[in-house]
Amino acid sequence: MKNASSPHASLKCIALALAGCSACAHGADDLTELSLDQLIDVPVVSASRFEQKASETTAAVSVVTRDDIRQYGWRTVAEVLRSLHGFYTHSDRGYDYVGARSFARPQDYNTRVLLLVDGQRVNDAIYDQAYIGTDGIIDLDIVDRIEVIRGPGSSIYGGNAVFGVINLITRSGAQLDGGELGARISSHNTIDGRASVGKRLDNGADFLASVSGMNATGPALYFPEFDTPATHNGHTAHTDYTRQGSVFARVGIDGLRLTTAASRRTKGVPTGAFGAEFNDRGHAFIDTQSYLAVDYTRALDAATELSGRAYLSDYTYSAPALLGTPSVRNHDEAHGSWYGVELKLVSSLSARNKLVAGIEHQRNRIQNQRNYDVAPYRLNADDHRQSERSGVFVQDDFQWTPDLKLSVGGRVDQVTGQGAQFSPRLGAVYRLSAQTVWKLQYGTAFRAPNVYESNYSYAGSAIANPRLRGEKITTWETSVEHYLDSQTRLLGTAYVYRLAGLIDQTTEARSGLLQYVNAGRSSARGVELEIEKLWTNGARLRTSLELQHAHDATGNDLTNSPNVIGKLNLSVPLPWQSLRLGTEAQWLAARKTHAGTVPDHGLANLTLLRPMAGNHWEWSASVYNLFDNRYFDATAYDPTVPQRDRLAQDGRSYRLKAVYRF
């Protein structure tokens, strides 16, 4: 990186740091020869739904580029989020879940973050779940960058944007400019591959198509809670398997774009959860997702742009399992189908004003849940719903002075069965000097109960709660970013939030069955500190420390809520064959569970990358959990295994990856 000592260069560095790109080139293949311009010009569109520099947003923004993903060997969105300050993850060996700012209920389905693909909402219409693991709807290799917006986002996105918005922005055909074949071999007999093709044609049309698939046997596991002769002494093999496939295609010309995506994952469930027979290879979670979207953008004049989107989405879930004594094959199923339209206007009212306004409507035409025994046939649950959600929003960014920018916005949402929700946001960005930027933000966000939480009922297992109300969060946040010099960045963030009407799963007092209720209030406060260092030889370091505390209305600590998290990401060039070595380390403090405490743990990952070279080949080798540490994640309360409050996670594993570009 070139030395930059002038105020103008320092401002460029501030823009780089605020973009959170960790000094990776946007779309560059040679990571050791990067210009400053390549480093800073990473666009951010998710913070306010129009393109702007991250230094101009009031929100705390991180941008993870494709080069970051390659350098650190990240395989899923969950692994990306786990590397960023303010986030942590956990797994129940069926799904991956993300926690934000010391909040992650073990029984929640990623309902408090909003997941987008190219701005298209992909949380489903049954569980409102954001799929961030191997169940994701697109392959991470076709993602160009991931924009992560922390804090409440309901003022422009509506429901579920409680702790943040995650937008996966895919590569264009022009960026691919040909084809790619990828193959990966990993531990536990895992093989996966990808084929992608893309191009920008002479007439301006841009197209991209990609297909990928994975098959994994999974590790052999031991569960001490099943350590009896009748349950194979707690040992199980070939039950933690994964079979996954996805397709993605997009074509666009002259502001018109057509996109389709679909995925299907079958994930074996080895845990014997919720009464399922232990060591049953037929017990699995089967998730399919798909959507078709048409977007159109048109400039009305030099200062005004109008865009619209229409989409159709579908989601199905199935979980076959052996239940009861004698055991009977049971199927738990759900089907959601929905469509919607969006209209957005972005206008520069003046040289100092930027206005964005829009309206959205989504109709959930199918929200079905069913549970039945196969033979003899018995219907245990059968619920059919329809619902709608609508919202209108407006936000104005006003450059009050050359150094002070104010942002004021709000949104009104209406969800079937719930009252109208108003979500305001106020923010300010103040440049104290050429090296220092200060941000302040206040906002609220909401989450309406999903149909699973409100209406799922199964005799002997769960009780519906049609009176369930939505929850609302109020957040105050401030941050200061300062450059010690042109290559060293310091970031400090402090926040306080209060969550009212918390939707939580409890045991109903009279029946002893599970039920979702509004469990009252919870609140948290925290400080996030980050240091980022760049070197002229292309090496880069990012390290962070999070100090936080979340508790309920009585002052008790929340479960699955670490008070301290430390992270480090280091990438260095090696003197041979343009190789780069990426090292990642994370440490989580102990977390309370419903029955005890999960001990603290540390993890380290290592990736050796040879970037794309003149022979059109790129390869990498990764080792995960380098020191083979045994660690656990907190798990939800299971009345059929009440003593279990944690699940062991994977030990050391590896991955070899090769990509050929033609």
Side-chain angles (χ1 to χ4, degrees):
M1 180 175 177
K2 295 181 180 178
N3 194 10
S5 57
S6 68
H8 180 64
S10 296
L11 290 175
K12 286 187 174 182
C13 287
I14 290 173
L16 155 66
L18 289 172
C21 67
S22 304
C24 288
H26 176 54
D29 286 328
D30 189 343
L31 301 178
T32 65
E33 298 179 1
L34 304 177
S35 70
L36 185 60
D37 288 340
Q38 285 177 309
L39 292 172
I40 67 174
D41 289 331
V42 178
V44 176
V45 297
S46 309
S48 298
R49 299 183 76 156
F50 60 84
E51 186 172 313
Q52 59 182 328
K53 292 182 179 179
S55 59
E56 299 171 352
T57 73
T58 60
V61 180
S62 289
V63 177
V64 177
T65 69
R66 177 171 169 262
D67 291 324
D68 289 319
I69 295 169
R70 294 155 57 207
Q71 175 61 93
Y72 294 108
W74 293 323
R75 298 163 292 185
T76 64
V77 175
E79 292 182 348
V80 173
L81 295 175
R82 188 172 61 186
S83 74
L84 301 176
H85 72 83
F87 295 95
Y88 60 104
T89 63
H90 64 282
S91 171
D92 61 6
R93 308 202 74 90
Y95 299 97
D96 290 339
Y97 309 98
V98 62
R101 292 182 168 175
S102 200
F103 190 99
R105 310 304 294 139
Q107 57 271 39
D108 180 55
Y109 290 104
N110 282 342
T111 61
R112 296 179 179 90
V113 293
L114 180 62
L115 183 63
L116 312 173
V117 175
D118 294 324
Q120 169 68 41
R121 178 189 181 103
V122 291
N123 290 55
D124 72 72
I126 300 292
Y127 308 98
D128 276 337
Q129 184 167 349
Y131 297 90
I132 60 172
T134 56
D135 48 7
I137 195 168
I138 61 173
D139 192 311
L140 202 58
D141 278 351
I142 65 169
V143 171
D144 177 58
R145 67 186 188 275
I146 302 175
E147 297 182 0
V148 180
I149 315 301
R150 297 172 180 81
S154 288
S155 64
I156 54 175
Y157 285 105
N160 301 105
V162 174
F163 287 107
V165 177
I166 303 158
N167 191 9
L168 312 182
I169 300 176
T170 57
R171 300 162 69 182
S172 67
Q175 288 173 320
L176 188 58
D177 194 28
E180 284 184 354
L181 296 175
R184 290 163 288 199
I185 300 175
S186 309
S187 297
H188 314 309
N189 298 314
T190 303
I191 299 176
D192 59 311
R194 172 182 61 93
S196 305
V197 61
K199 196 79 174 178
R200 183 176 179 86
L201 304 180
D202 294 339
N203 64 358
D206 187 281
F207 74 91
L208 174 73
S210 184
V211 59
S212 63
M214 178 182 72
N215 186 77
T217 302
L221 300 169
Y222 168 69
F223 295 89
E225 57 270 30
F226 291 108
D227 194 350
T228 66
T231 51
H232 305 271
N233 296 311
H235 293 276
T236 182
H238 305 290
T239 57
D240 195 36
Y241 55 87
T242 303
R243 296 190 294 270
Q244 191 269 349
S246 64
V247 296
F248 179 87
R250 183 186 60 241
V251 61
I253 185 170
D254 295 334
L256 181 64
R257 185 174 67 177
L258 176 66
T259 306
T260 185
S263 70
R264 177 184 174 90
R265 187 195 69 156
T266 300
K267 176 64 179 69
V269 184
T271 57
F274 294 96
E277 183 174 295
F278 183 70
N279 207 37
D280 171 26
R281 297 184 184 182
H283 187 196
F285 295 149
I286 306 170
D287 298 272
T288 65
Q289 306 172 70
S290 64
Y291 74 85
L292 175 68
V294 179
D295 301 81
Y296 182 66
T297 301
R298 180 179 179 180
L300 302 181
D301 54 45
T304 305
E305 182 181 88
L306 182 67
S307 61
R309 171 183 290 135
Y311 59 88
L312 174 65
S313 300
D314 194 86
Y315 169 77
T316 64
Y317 162 82
S318 178
L322 289 174
L323 299 180
T325 304
S327 60
V328 174
R329 180 63 67 185
N330 175 272
H331 282 255
D332 195 48
E333 298 178 346
H335 178 209
S337 180
W338 62 102
Y339 60 86
V341 293
E342 305 173 6
L343 192 65
K344 182 184 68 177
L345 179 74
V346 179
S347 180
S348 298
L349 300 178
S350 69
R352 300 167 63 186
N353 277 77
K354 188 87 167 195
L355 177 75
V356 58
I359 186 169
E360 300 179 10
H361 178 75
Q362 177 176 309
R363 176 167 177 77
N364 303 312
R365 66 184 190 91
I366 298 175
Q367 293 176 303
N368 297 343
Q369 301 178 83
R370 186 170 67 140
N371 184 288
Y372 63 94
D373 296 335
V374 176
Y377 178 80
R378 186 178 72 172
L379 187 63
N380 303 308
D382 191 22
D383 187 74
H384 300 264
R385 303 280 166 172
Q386 291 184 337
S387 64
E388 296 180 339
R389 64 174 187 89
S390 301
V392 57
F393 66 91
V394 62
Q395 178 177 301
D396 182 55
D397 288 0
F398 180 61
Q399 196 71 43
W400 188 269
T401 71
D403 296 324
L404 176 62
K405 179 180 180 179
L406 303 178
S407 180
V408 180
R411 174 170 169 141
V412 177
D413 283 272
Q414 181 67 59
V415 180
T416 299
Q418 304 288 314
Q421 294 286 341
F422 175 58
S423 305
R425 182 169 74 173
L426 305 173
V429 179
Y430 182 60
R431 193 176 299 280
L432 299 174
S433 68
Q435 290 78 30
T436 307
V437 173
W438 172 74
K439 293 186 178 184
L440 179 66
Q441 181 177 219
Y442 160 84
T444 70
F446 78 97
R447 179 176 82 88
N450 55 60
V451 293
Y452 169 73
E453 293 167 331
S454 297
N455 301 303
Y456 186 79
S457 179
Y458 178 8
S461 176
I463 302 176
N465 185 2
R467 297 181 180 180
L468 198 61
R469 309 304 298 172
E471 59 186 29
K472 187 172 184 177
I473 193 171
T474 302
T475 301
W476 295 264
E477 178 179 329
T478 184
S479 65
V480 176
E481 190 150 14
H482 176 71
Y483 263 76
L484 294 178
D485 54 49
S486 62
Q487 295 174 301
T488 308
R489 177 184 68 100
L490 306 178
L491 172 67
T493 301
Y495 63 85
V496 175
Y497 66 76
R498 296 174 183 170
L499 184 61
L502 170 65
I503 299 173
D504 209 8
Q505 190 181 62
T506 62
T507 302
E508 203 269 335
R510 289 177 297 179
S511 65
L513 304 182
L514 296 176
Q515 184 182 48
Y516 283 93
V517 301
N518 293 111
R521 296 178 176 269
S522 65
S523 59
R525 61 185 182 274
V527 175
E528 299 166 354
L529 306 172
E530 185 174 84
I531 301 174
E532 186 171 13
K533 176 70 175 178
L534 316 177
W535 284 270
T536 55
N537 68 347
R540 58 193 182 274
L541 167 72
R542 186 183 74 233
T543 184
S544 63
L545 176 66
E546 303 164 37
L547 307 174
Q548 52 201 7
H549 182 223
H551 57 85
D552 61 22
T554 63
N556 294 320
D557 290 352
L558 296 183
T559 57
N560 197 28
S561 176
N563 289 335
V564 183
I565 301 177
K567 299 178 182 180
L568 180 146
N569 285 77
L570 175 65
S571 172
V572 296
L574 300 179
W576 315 283
Q577 301 293 318
S578 300
L579 296 177
R580 291 189 68 90
L581 185 66
T583 303
E584 179 181 26
Q586 298 158 0
W587 182 81
L588 268 71
R591 289 158 287 162
K592 179 183 175 181
T593 70
H594 67 266
T597 301
V598 171
D600 64 279
H601 72 265
L603 294 175
N605 304 323
L606 200 66
T607 293
L608 183 65
L609 171 69
R610 178 185 181 268
M612 190 69 65
N615 62 0
H616 304 284
W617 281 96
E618 174 177 295
W619 60 262
S620 64
S622 301
V623 182
Y624 306 96
N625 194 357
L626 179 64
F627 300 107
D628 200 22
N629 289 337
R630 180 171 173 79
Y631 73 101
F632 302 86
D633 280 343
T635 190
Y637 172 71
D638 183 345
T640 65
V641 196
Q643 73 275 25
R644 179 164 67 192
D645 66 343
R646 68 198 67 189
L647 287 171
Q649 302 301 309
D650 288 345
R652 184 189 297 118
S653 62
Y654 70 89
R655 184 185 73 168
L656 301 176
K657 176 182 176 182
V659 177
Y660 178 72
R661 180 179 296 175
F662 57 91

